[in-house]
């Protein structure tokens, strides 16, 4: 039977509960346990697909086509496993399922209530995540005391009686703020948030305390005393130079050992963290540096392109180069021109996006990269704008002069197919989730992957119009990857360019720090080469 670790948060949001949960996942997996991680999100949306990146950051897409909370991205990157729709439970999902059951007559004669129906439904999902696993780590979104989180807290409280107290562990992530006026760290918010947990019957065994400064022993003892945990169960979580250092820091403080003790589990082995140490060492002291322009329209939100920026960092670590990201608003390019905004970078990346705002700026970025032989990587919308740009300026296709790729898609080169039967049973109107793609031998994509058939995740409505393929190819654009079943072009390249690629899918979702994505490695590799060539030119 699986054991369960619940990660809750107090005082403020954005404390890094997700990173804490994911780091614990790494440590337990490296010890030889079969681990699953789930996120319990108290919001009413059924999934994150309908949420604006401005508010909630990126939507992370899983292999099975679920549009999930970005924390699932952290989980996948850390524990190096593909997760599914079941790993993200939301209030919306829980209520729709309970209401469906009620309509079906499953509770006939009974009054359907938050306790036990909603709380049972939550527990069923947590238990399901434990099938064929040793440990389930469940992170509860929001902070303790939030009205919408209450059913989740009640459900995890009940889990202790349901599966046995020795099979559950509660870990609370809190903030220990620095008060400048008093010139000291303050433990009272932590005490209050633990009191709030205790009020609802949850006794946390481990405290993870986020703090800007070291927590002295006296502070630690005080929190231990008031929060009823042992002093060594007060873990200090300082700001780190990279999130990938968190598993190492938590391991140093024996976080995983504390969890195992709370769960009465014996570890099969000590974790070997050499690969993570290497990632951190390289990240902190790289030999080179490249600057990459990320041309988007949600650039003000630091998490809107989270998986993309992480994938760039992973590739930088692989090439031993710091990746400096220049966030560029595509509308800025429209206003000031591509050269003014983009000059000096060694790579241009246009990520996915929706809506027509900023499209012209992205097209201009693709053109600037093509004409100036700057490495270009277009992801989904970034591929579509690259194709429109090429059709417009190289092929002179009259139909390609519209910027309205989305919505309404009046550019016929990228179109909405009449019969989008490839948008299978996965629901909605988008092509979502993993689809196979056959690579064309001799292309840069085939060389980067070193494979003939790959599988990547999608999230889009529009496709490259096959009627225009011949014209594009005649003028020098290569189709490097195809979804055979529906004969859809998935990758475009320019062979006479150092590195120019657009992909209809989202490779960023599969990149991991210890397994960087081949295409991101190819892109950053080309950027490194460009910066070396430039440096040589300047030197002599
Ligand atoms: N809006 C475009 C489409 O629906 C691109 C989507 C994306 O970049 N994820 O096809």
């Amino acid at each position: 039977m699986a054991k369960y670790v619940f990660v809750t948060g107090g005082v403020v949001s954005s404390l890094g509960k997700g990173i804490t949960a994911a780091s614990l996942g790494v440590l337990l997996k490296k010890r030889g346990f079969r681990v699953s991680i789930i996120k319990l999100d108290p919001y009413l949306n059924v999934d994150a697909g309908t949420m604006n990146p401005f508010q909630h950051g990126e939507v992370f897409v899983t292999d099975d086509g679920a549009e999930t909370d970005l924390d699932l991205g952290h989980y996948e990157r850390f524990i190096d496993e593909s997760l599914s729709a079941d790993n993200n439970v939301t209030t919306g999902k829980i209520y729709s399922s309970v209401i469906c059951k009620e309509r079906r007559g499953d509770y006939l004669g009974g009054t359907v209530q938050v306790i036990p129906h909603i709380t049972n439904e939550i527990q069923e999902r947590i238990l399901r995540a434990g099938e064929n696993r040793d440990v389930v780590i469940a992170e509860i979104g929001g902070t303790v005391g939030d009205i919408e989180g209450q059913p989740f807290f009640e459900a995890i409280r009940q889990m202790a009686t349901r599966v046995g107290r020795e099979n559950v562990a509660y870990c609370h992530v809190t903030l220990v703020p620095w008060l400048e006026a008093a010139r000291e760290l303050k433990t009272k918010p932590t005490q209050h948030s633990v009191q709030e947990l205790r009020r609802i019957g949850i006794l946390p065994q481990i405290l993870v305390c986020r703090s800007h400064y070291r927590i002295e022993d006296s502070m630690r003892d005080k929190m231990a005393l008031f929060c009823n945990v042992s002093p060594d169960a007060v873990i200090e979580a300082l700001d780190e130079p990279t999130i990938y250092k968190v598993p190492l820091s938590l391991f140093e403080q024996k976080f995983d050992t504390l969890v195992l003790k709370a769960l009465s589990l014996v570890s099969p082995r000590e974790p070997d963290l050499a690969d993570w140490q290497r990632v951190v060492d390289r990240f902190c002291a790289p030999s080179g540096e490249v600057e990459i322009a990320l041309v988007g329209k949600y650039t003000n939100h630091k998490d809107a392109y989270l998986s993309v920026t992480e994938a760039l960092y992973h590739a930088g670590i692989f090439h031993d180069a710091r990746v400096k990201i220049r966030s560029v608003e595509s509308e800025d390019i429209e206003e000031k021109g591509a050269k003014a905004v983009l000059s000096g970078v060694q790579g241009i990346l246009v990520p996915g996006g929706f809506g027509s705002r900023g499209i012209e700026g992205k097209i201009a970025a693709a053109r600037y990269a093509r004409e100036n032989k700057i490495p270009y990587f277009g992801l989904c919308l970034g591929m579509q704008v690259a194709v429109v740009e090429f059709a417009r300026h190289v092929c002179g296709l009259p139909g390609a002069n519209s910027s309205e790729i989305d919505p309404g898609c009046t550019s016929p080169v990228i179109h909405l197919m009449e019969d989008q039967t490839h948008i299978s049973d996965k629901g909605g109107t988008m092509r979502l989730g993993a689809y196979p793609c056959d690579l064309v031998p001799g292309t840069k994509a085939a060389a980067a992957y070193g494979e003939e058939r790959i599988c990547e995740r999608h999230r889009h409505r529009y496709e490259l119009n096959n009627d225009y393929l011949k014209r594009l190819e005649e003028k020098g654009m290569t189709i490097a990857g195809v979804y055979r079943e529906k004969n859809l072009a998935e990758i475009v390249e320019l062979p006479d360019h150092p590195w120019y690629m657009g992909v209809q899918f989202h490779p960023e979702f599969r990149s991991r720090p210890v397994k960087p994505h081949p295409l991101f490695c190819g892109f950053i590799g080309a950027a490194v080469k460009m910066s070396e060539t430039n440096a040589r030119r300047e030197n002599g």
Side-chain angles (χ1 to χ4, degrees):
M1 197 200 72
K3 307 234 177 190
Y4 301 86
V5 187
F6 298 107
V7 179
T8 57
V11 185
V12 292
S13 59
S14 310
L15 278 177
K17 289 193 302 287
I19 303 292
T20 307
S23 300
L24 178 62
V26 173
L27 299 176
L28 296 183
K29 193 178 167 191
K30 293 260 184 194
R31 283 183 175 278
F33 293 106
R34 293 168 305 161
V35 182
S36 185
I37 313 192
I38 61 173
K39 173 91 191 270
L40 307 175
D41 271 317
Y43 48 69
L44 275 163
N45 304 60
V46 171
D47 63 36
T50 52
M51 283 195 265
N52 188 326
F54 270 131
Q55 256 185 37
H56 240 268
E58 152 192 287
V59 174
F60 186 80
V61 181
T62 51
D63 277 340
D64 63 349
E67 298 173 282
T68 70
D69 189 88
L70 53 77
D71 270 318
L72 266 79
H74 286 310
Y75 302 166
E76 283 204 358
R77 286 187 282 274
F78 276 64
I79 66 168
D80 188 18
E81 270 181 48
S82 291
L83 303 174
S84 73
D86 288 345
N87 294 77
N88 196 186
V89 176
T90 66
T91 299
K93 266 190 200 165
I94 295 288
Y95 271 82
S96 16
S97 140
V98 168
I99 290 168
C100 254
K101 286 183 185 166
E102 188 275 333
R103 291 289 82 190
R104 215 166 55 200
D106 287 13
Y107 314 115
L108 225 49
T111 309
V112 184
Q113 292 175 300
V114 173
I115 305 173
H117 299 94
I118 295 296
T119 45
N120 279 351
E121 185 73 27
I122 295 170
Q123 289 175 56
E124 296 307 327
R125 310 268 173 146
I126 299 171
L127 290 168
R128 203 186 301 158
E131 285 165 15
N132 303 317
R133 302 285 163 159
D134 302 312
V135 182
V136 175
I137 301 165
E139 174 197 348
I140 292 80
T143 42
V144 58
D146 294 347
I147 289 178
E148 59 269 39
Q150 282 176 9
F152 287 97
F153 282 90
E154 172 60 13
I156 65 166
R157 180 192 71 76
Q158 291 179 13
M159 280 292 286
T161 33
R162 186 162 181 162
V163 299
R165 187 153 295 281
E166 67 288 3
N167 296 320
V168 296
Y170 297 98
C171 164
H172 193 54
V173 185
T174 80
L175 178 72
V176 180
W178 170 261
L179 213 63
E180 190 51 42
R183 298 206 57 78
E184 64 177 4
L185 290 171
K186 288 293 178 189
T187 65
K188 195 69 89 187
T190 300
Q191 295 178 41
H192 279 296
S193 87
V194 170
Q195 267 169 26
E196 183 65 21
L197 270 181
R198 294 217 303 248
R199 196 181 61 75
I200 53 180
I202 295 172
L203 308 167
Q205 294 126 304
I206 303 165
L207 300 180
V208 175
C209 303
R210 288 300 312 274
S211 168
H212 285 308
Y213 301 99
R214 294 230 86 109
I215 296 173
E216 303 295 337
D217 281 348
S218 58
M219 286 276 159
R220 194 181 296 265
D221 292 344
K222 192 167 160 191
M223 279 191 279
L225 182 68
F226 283 106
C227 301
N228 210 26
V229 299
S230 67
D232 63 354
V234 178
I235 305 275
E236 158 193 275
L238 301 173
D239 303 330
E240 303 284 6
T242 160
I243 51 172
Y244 301 122
K245 183 145 186 278
V246 178
L248 304 175
S249 304
L250 292 178
F251 177 67
E252 261 172 40
Q253 298 180 71
K254 303 197 165 42
F255 178 48
D256 52 333
T257 314
L258 285 163
V259 169
L260 294 179
K261 201 166 130 208
L263 296 175
S264 321
L265 270 178
V266 178
S267 176
R269 56 172 187 257
E270 280 299 294
D272 176 3
L273 296 168
D275 50 353
W276 280 75
Q277 187 65 55
R278 225 172 4 253
V279 163
V280 172
D281 292 346
R282 281 210 169 183
F283 182 89
C284 294
S287 318
E289 179 177 293
V290 289
E291 188 173 8
I292 304 296
L294 178 64
V295 182
K297 60 176 182 177
Y298 313 112
T299 45
N300 283 336
H301 192 296
K302 83 175 195 351
D303 287 338
Y305 300 111
L306 184 64
S307 293
V308 176
T309 51
E310 290 307 310
L312 287 169
Y313 294 142
H314 302 163
I317 290 165
F318 177 81
H319 285 289
D320 202 11
R322 170 169 299 134
V323 175
K324 209 168 126 193
I325 294 173
R326 188 189 294 183
S327 287
V328 173
E329 274 291 329
S330 49
E331 283 174 314
D332 255 9
I333 301 180
E334 291 168 13
E335 232 172 76
K336 302 174 192 147
K339 189 161 187 283
V341 182
L342 296 172
S343 71
V345 296
Q346 289 89 43
I348 296 172
L349 188 149
V350 177
F354 292 85
S356 53
R357 183 173 70 81
I359 285 281
E360 281 304 322
K362 293 179 184 179
I363 292 175
R367 181 180 197 174
Y368 183 77
R370 179 177 58 77
E371 292 180 344
N372 294 286
K373 304 262 187 235
I374 299 167
Y376 177 85
F377 198 13
L379 313 177
C380 206
L381 183 63
M383 173 238 199
Q384 298 173 354
V385 296
V387 172
V388 170
E389 189 282 314
F390 193 82
R392 195 191 282 182
H393 302 117
V394 181
C395 307
L397 283 170
N401 59 3
S402 167
S403 61
E404 289 275 308
I405 292 185
D406 179 19
C409 186
T410 47
S411 167
V413 187
I414 301 295
H415 71 157
L416 202 58
M417 300 193 318
E418 261 170 43
D419 168 30
Q420 291 213 325
T421 47
H422 61 286
I423 297 175
S424 58
D425 46 342
K426 284 172 181 157
T429 56
M430 277 202 273
R431 178 141 78 109
L432 280 167
Y435 285 81
C437 169
D438 289 308
L439 301 176
V440 177
T443 57
K444 285 197 181 75
Y449 279 105
E451 283 171 71
E452 285 168 9
R453 169 172 269 216
I454 51 140
C455 202
E456 293 281 5
R457 299 179 193 175
H458 293 247
R459 182 177 185 243
H460 58 102
R461 293 190 179 84
Y462 299 101
E463 305 283 355
L464 205 164
N465 188 343
N466 284 340
D467 293 348
Y468 290 87
L469 281 191
K470 219 166 149 261
R471 299 285 296 276
L472 295 168
E473 285 178 314
E474 274 167 10
K475 291 288 182 185
M477 185 167 258
T478 303
I479 307 303
V482 181
Y483 171 36
R484 281 266 172 264
E485 198 182 314
K486 298 289 171 192
N487 195 28
L488 293 170
E490 303 275 54
I491 308 178
V492 299
E493 284 180 14
L494 295 180
D496 66 345
H497 186 288
W499 211 91
Y500 191 101
M501 193 180 293
V503 295
Q504 186 58 83
F505 44 80
H506 289 276
E508 68 271 24
F509 295 139
R510 292 174 83 96
S511 182
R512 282 142 196 199
V514 293
K515 261 187 225 157
H517 193 283
L519 296 186
F520 277 87
C521 287
F523 173 57
I524 294 298
V528 168
K529 210 163 163 191
M530 180 170 168
S531 93
E532 286 167 358
T533 317
N534 287 351
R536 233 174 287 133
R537 204 171 295 148
E538 273 164 30
N539 291 338

